[in-house]
Each structure stands twice: as structure tokens, then as C-alpha cells.
Amino acid sequence: MEMQQKTLRRAHISSVGRFLPEKRLTNKELEKMIDTSDEWIVTRTGIRERRILEPGLGNSYMAVRAARDCLERAGVAPEAVDTIIVATVTPDMFFPSTACLVQRDIGAIKAWGFDLSAGCSGFVFALTTAAQFVESGRYDRVLVIGSDVMSSIIDYTDRATCVLFGDAAGAVLIEPCPENDFGIIDFVQRCDGSGEPHLHMKAGGSRKPASMETVKNREHYVYQEGAQVFKVAVTQMADVTVEILRKNNLTGSDVSFLLPHQANLRIIKACADRAGIPMEKVVVNIDRFANTTAATIPLCLYDIVVEDKRVKKGDYLVMSAFGAGYTWGSVLVRWWEDW
Ligand code: ACO
């Protein structure tokens, strides 16, 4: 007998918020710091500037502000939040989790929560995790935050990596969807630890704790073999985007918006092309914010939902990401209400 998967209820994104640090670091300013050019950065990546958080503030400073922005927009009190998931690779500290600090600072007195580490796929993984809690009927309000202070783990003498990243936080609220045909419809997610040698942080973890030597050797920064990561990212991000559409009997022309992780404009274009989604349906803000790791997709969502109010009820949104691990995935959303 065929097993029928029964969805008791669906989860949907009921609100969006963000926090952007005020300080802008432009390509022109980077030209004064390292051997690079605005022309190289724009043509190879699509990035023009990135935001940088004031040193000493930490991830929770941004995560709390994005969370407050999201909850205020929803008209939901912090006391009503059940769960907080913070996707990040740059927590304030190893422990406690950034989710605990957010819980305390926003006053989410009945919430529990945790941090989720999946590099640039962190938001997508956290979103689908939150959706399971809501779909199961266990919780009604899950706050998902993607927040990264990449400037705290970037070596500003490594020109191949430092030009790529910025700081920001984005947040969404996940609640039960009033109708079962809308909301977070499906997802495809993967990880492959054989990516470790090509994208990682060498020291500071339990395998190689911090020492005078690790600091001297600059081992507390993002180590990335850019060209190697690029090759895999292009293929895998496109593959899951195509897979989620096929699995749901959709084509690129059914999609209203592709919200891709913003690592490189060339990766974004290749992914959209493979999925048959024209660039006018692709949300791009890499020029303004660069790669903010777990924050890129909620920042894209903020652009189209809050700022431009372009998303209408019934629109299909596809969110696709690729990051350290390797990790990658695609989420299909059918938007519930006009904004
Ligand atoms: N300015 C000028 N020249 C530079 C710079 C720079 N900032 N950086 C590198 N170059 C030079 C290199 O030294 C090299 O010179 P050479 O040919 O004389 O050796 C040349 O430019 C080409 O270097 P490549 O690394 O081959 O350049 P590429 O076209 O691959 O672009 C980039 C580099 C932008 C990093 C690209 O590889 C990329 O986007 N990779 C994927 C990043 C990604 O998706 N990461 C995953 C998410 S991150 C996360 O999860 C934390």
C-alpha cells in the first residue's frame, strides 16, 4: 500500500525584518587596503560595497535588531515566540548560543532556541527546520534569524577572500498558514563534508585550539579556495533549484522570484539560467551587501516583500543556497498574502 504523506498544516513566512550596519566599505576603499581594483571586484563578483559592523558589538547586536524589526512588523509580542533559531558561523561566542542572547535581549520569556551552523546554507536549513516544528503542530511561532559578522573572521590581507563578504542580519517569523495550499511547500537539502579542505577555518575549534602560533599563522580566518568552491557551487546550487521545480511539476516560468544566496553574481546567473528563470525574476543585492553568509536570503526577501512590495498571494518563490561544508539546498514557497 502506498504511504500517503499527510500534512496536518503548513508553515508560512508571516513577517520579515533586517538589520544593516551603517558603515559601508566600498571597493574604492578596499583599493587602498589591498592590491585590487573596483573593476576586478565588480566584473568577477558583482559586488560594489558591503556593510561592516562596528568592532566589539557581536552577532547578537544585529540578530536582536533584525528580530525586533520582524516581530514589530508582524504585530507579534516577543512573549508569544516559541522557538528561536539563529543560523550563523559567527556567534558572539562558542557558548552560550546566540539564540539564548537574542531570547534574553528581546524578552522572549517562554522561548527556547539554538544556533544552526551550515555556512551560507544556514538560513535555508533553519527555515525548513522551523517549518517542521510548525507543521507538526508543536509550535505556532518560530523566529528564524540569519546573522553573520563576517568581518570578524575575514583576513583583510587576503585579497581573494576579503572583498567577498559583509555583515548583516535578516529575520523571518514562521507561523501556521491559514490555507494548506500556501506556505513552505517543499525543500531539497544536502551536505557533503568532502568540501572541508576547500572552505573552512583552520583553528579555534577543538581540533586545533587557539594558541600564539595559530594567531601568528592567521588561522582564525575564512580559508577559501575560491575557484574550487566556485565550480561546485555553480553545479550544486543549479541542480537543487532544477530538482525542486521538477519534483513539484513546475518550470522556471511558474516561478515569480528566485532568491539565490549572494556569493557571486556569476553563480547566481548560472543557476537562474539552468533553472530557466529569467534575470528579471532573480533578486540580486550582492552589489550593495556582498556575501553576508546566513543573511543573504532574508535580505533578498526583505527587498521584494517589505521595500518593493512586489510579492503577491500565490507567487512561487524559490530560495537556493550553497555554502561551507559543503551544504546546499532549495526551498519552494507559495506566498500566502499580498504585501
Ligand atoms: N583583486 C584582484 N585580483 C584578484 C583578487 C582581487 N580581490 N582576488 C584574486 N585575484 C586574482 C588572483 O590572484 C588570480 O590571479 P593569477 O591568475 O595571477 O593567479 C586571478 O585574480 C584569478 O583568481 P581566481 O581565484 O581564479 O578568480 P575567480 O574568477 O575564481 O574569482 C572568486 C574568485 C570571486 C572568489 C570566485 O572563485 C568565487 O566566487 N568563488 C565561490 C565563492 C563561494 O560561493 N563561496 C561559498 C559561500 S561562502 C561560505 O559558505 C562561508
Side-chain angles (χ1 to χ4, degrees):
M1 202 173 73
E2 202 176 303
M3 286 282 284
Q4 278 251 307
Q5 200 194 340
K6 199 171 164 210
T7 302
L8 295 176
R9 59 180 191 173
R10 267 197 214 286
H12 82 124
I13 298 170
S14 59
S15 184
V16 191
R18 78 172 182 195
F19 175 80
L20 297 170
E22 267 175 37
K23 184 181 159 39
R24 289 176 156 86
L25 177 62
T26 63
N27 291 351
K28 282 278 165 217
E29 286 168 274
L30 281 168
E31 281 179 0
K32 294 179 205 146
M33 295 161 60
I34 44 166
D35 179 16
T36 192
S37 67
D38 175 52
E39 199 265 331
W40 190 95
I41 302 171
V42 174
T43 52
R44 304 309 290 164
T45 72
I47 300 164
R48 292 181 187 278
E49 62 176 40
R50 66 288 290 140
R51 301 298 181 100
I52 303 291
L53 186 68
E54 200 181 306
L57 289 180
N59 190 320
S60 64
Y61 181 89
M62 301 198 302
V64 161
R65 280 153 183 80
R68 285 192 188 128
D69 183 39
C70 175
L71 291 177
E72 277 165 29
R73 187 158 291 109
V76 168
E79 296 81 8
V81 173
D82 299 306
T83 307
I84 300 167
I85 308 176
V86 179
T88 189
V89 292
T90 52
D92 282 38
M93 47 190 92
F94 266 160
F95 60 90
S97 69
T98 306
C100 289
L101 307 182
V102 172
Q103 178 279 331
R104 175 193 67 195
D105 291 351
I106 67 171
I109 49 171
K110 69 164 199 193
W112 70 293
F114 56 93
D115 288 2
L116 187 153
S117 170
C120 296
S121 309
F123 177 77
V124 160
F125 283 19
L127 178 68
T128 58
T129 303
Q132 306 314 298
F133 285 130
V134 172
E135 276 185 19
S136 71
R138 174 71 67 171
Y139 297 117
D140 287 334
R141 285 175 205 91
V142 183
L143 193 54
V144 175
I145 305 166
S147 182
D148 270 304
V149 189
M150 294 309 289
S151 63
S152 68
I153 56 165
I154 291 299
D155 181 351
Y156 283 95
T157 65
D158 172 7
R159 69 173 182 170
T161 307
C162 75
V163 302
L164 304 173
F165 293 96
D167 305 336
V172 296
L173 185 65
I174 308 303
E175 295 187 281
C177 190
E179 275 184 54
N180 264 4
D181 295 344
F182 296 83
I184 297 162
I185 303 286
D186 199 7
F187 58 91
V188 175
Q189 288 174 168
R190 305 255 157 70
C191 75
D192 177 1
S194 67
E196 183 212 331
H198 312 296
L199 180 52
H200 59 264
M201 187 187 287
K202 294 194 179 299
S206 54
R207 203 193 295 169
K208 201 175 196 186
S211 66
M212 296 292 274
E213 202 187 340
T214 60
V215 172
K216 192 166 69 68
N217 294 340
R218 313 185 75 80
E219 290 179 324
H220 296 272
Y221 295 120
V222 173
Y223 171 82
Q224 176 170 258
E225 294 165 6
Q228 175 65 32
V229 178
F230 186 96
K231 269 189 274 174
V232 188
V234 158
T235 314
Q236 304 293 32
M237 211 164 106
D239 278 356
V240 283
T241 308
V242 169
E243 189 179 335
I244 193 94
L245 293 179
R246 275 209 196 118
K247 214 174 142 215
N248 290 276
N249 298 316
L250 298 171
T251 67
S253 52
D254 297 309
V255 174
S256 296
F257 298 98
L258 173 66
L259 295 86
H261 170 57
Q262 312 276 307
N264 188 312
L265 187 57
R266 291 182 289 145
I267 299 177
I268 294 172
K269 283 183 173 161
C271 175
D273 189 49
R274 276 268 315 281
I277 303 171
M279 279 308 286
E280 54 279 14
K281 292 180 172 182
V282 182
V283 189
V284 174
N285 57 26
I286 191 170
D287 51 326
R288 291 178 286 149
F289 308 134
N291 182 352
T292 55
T293 302
T296 57
I297 292 177
L299 292 187
C300 285
L301 197 59
Y302 188 98
D303 277 359
I304 56 170
V305 172
V306 180
E307 263 186 0
D308 301 343
K309 298 194 169 35
R310 285 159 69 199
V311 187
K312 300 284 170 255
K313 182 171 180 173
D315 280 352
Y316 280 111
L317 276 58
V318 175
M319 304 171 181
S320 298
F322 181 90
Y326 299 128
T327 54
W328 66 105
S330 224
V331 183
L332 177 68
V333 172
R334 191 166 178 230
W335 199 255
W336 157 243
E337 56 193 344
D338 288 0
W339 271 64

